[in-house]
Amino acid sequence: MLDRFSIKVIRSPLSLLAAGLDKLGVTANQTTLFGFGLGTLAFPALYFSHFELALLFILLNRLCDGLDGALARRQGITDAGGFLDISLDFLFYSLIPFGFVVANPEQNAVAGAFLIFSFIGTGSSFLAFAVMAGKRGIENPVYKHKSLYYMSGLTEGTETIACFIAMCLLPQYFPLIAVIFGIACWFTALTRIYSGFQTLK
């Protein structure tokens, strides 16, 4: 829901950073892989309950996710790059609640499982419509410079990162945050399934 606004705020500084990285010969795919590597380090940080450190790796991952897109727009958007980016994004999104689960399974297991279940709903509806939109040549006017169709919803990237930040700052409230955000994700998934079906029909 907030991505269209946050993208406008961060586009200019990301473009400046991407210009510098481009001059150094850094590619978009390298940035994607490096960012994913940083993101995975949040898992051991969460396991050992170093929540501030986990938050740092989460934010670095998201920074790289913005930079790889800015680099791709300079160097040329490719299907392979878009595939790599979205695949690793969804793996990263699921890794964070799983980290909270292993950190405190007695408290966090059910809520964490529900959130990951909810991510399956948002992710599958997002990707399934993107495939069909690509076959039919449907474009999203809001996200013109993406390698695949970005279907909007109540819970997008901005809201997900805000959720992860809240979890790291208030880990004792992880179950409550996870359940609330999971419900919001299911609202997104169901509205995407409905609107996607109606559009394609």
Side-chain angles (χ1 to χ4, degrees), residues 40-116:
T40 61
L41 294 177
F43 181 80
L46 290 170
Y47 179 79
F48 291 108
S49 298
H50 297 309
F51 300 109
E52 295 84 1
L53 183 60
L55 177 56
L56 174 62
F57 288 128
I58 290 170
L59 294 177
L60 288 173
N61 170 273
R62 293 297 85 197
L63 173 62
C64 290
D65 185 60
L67 281 173
D68 65 8
L71 280 166
R73 286 187 287 276
R74 294 181 63 88
Q75 299 168 353
I77 295 172
T78 67
D79 290 342
F83 170 77
L84 181 67
D85 178 54
I86 199 67
S87 298
L88 297 185
D89 273 354
F90 280 111
L91 286 173
F92 168 75
Y93 285 146
S94 297
L95 182 67
I96 301 308
F98 181 52
F100 278 95
V101 168
V102 298
N104 190 342
E106 291 186 2
Q107 173 183 298
N108 297 337
V110 174
F114 174 68
L115 183 56
I116 295 171

Side-chain angles (χ1 to χ4, degrees), residues 7-176:
I7 286 173
K8 292 178 182 179
V9 173
I10 64 175
R11 181 175 292 158
S12 181
L14 284 178
S15 295
L16 290 174
L17 286 172
L21 291 173
D22 189 31
K23 291 179 181 179
L24 294 173
V26 177
T27 69
N29 290 341
Q30 289 171 344
T31 306
T32 299
L33 291 170
F34 181 68
F36 180 71
L38 288 174
T40 61
L41 294 177
F43 181 80
L46 290 170
Y47 179 79
F48 291 108
S49 298
H50 297 309
F51 300 109
E52 295 84 1
L53 183 60
L55 177 56
L56 174 62
F57 288 128
I58 290 170
L59 294 177
L60 288 173
N61 170 273
R62 293 297 85 197
L63 173 62
C64 290
D65 185 60
L67 281 173
D68 65 8
L71 280 166
R73 286 187 287 276
R74 294 181 63 88
Q75 299 168 353
I77 295 172
T78 67
D79 290 342
F83 170 77
L84 181 67
D85 178 54
I86 199 67
S87 298
L88 297 185
D89 273 354
F90 280 111
L91 286 173
F92 168 75
Y93 285 146
S94 297
L95 182 67
I96 301 308
F98 181 52
F100 278 95
V101 168
V102 298
N104 190 342
E106 291 186 2
Q107 173 183 298
N108 297 337
V110 174
F114 174 68
L115 183 56
I116 295 171
F117 173 52
S118 303
F119 284 167
I120 295 297
T122 55
S124 60
S125 57
F126 175 92
L127 293 174
F129 187 80
V131 171
M132 300 305 175
K135 288 176 63 176
R136 296 193 177 196
I138 303 172
E139 296 184 358
N140 188 328
V142 178
Y143 306 108
K144 295 180 180 179
H145 304 293
K146 296 287 188 179
S147 56
L148 72 166
Y149 188 101
Y150 266 54
M151 200 176 193
S152 300
L154 178 63
T155 55
E156 299 175 337
T158 303
E159 291 82 9
T160 305
I161 299 311
C163 174
F164 289 168
I165 291 172
M167 290 173 175
C168 289
L169 295 178
L170 301 166
Q172 68 274 27
Y173 294 108
F174 171 84
L176 177 62

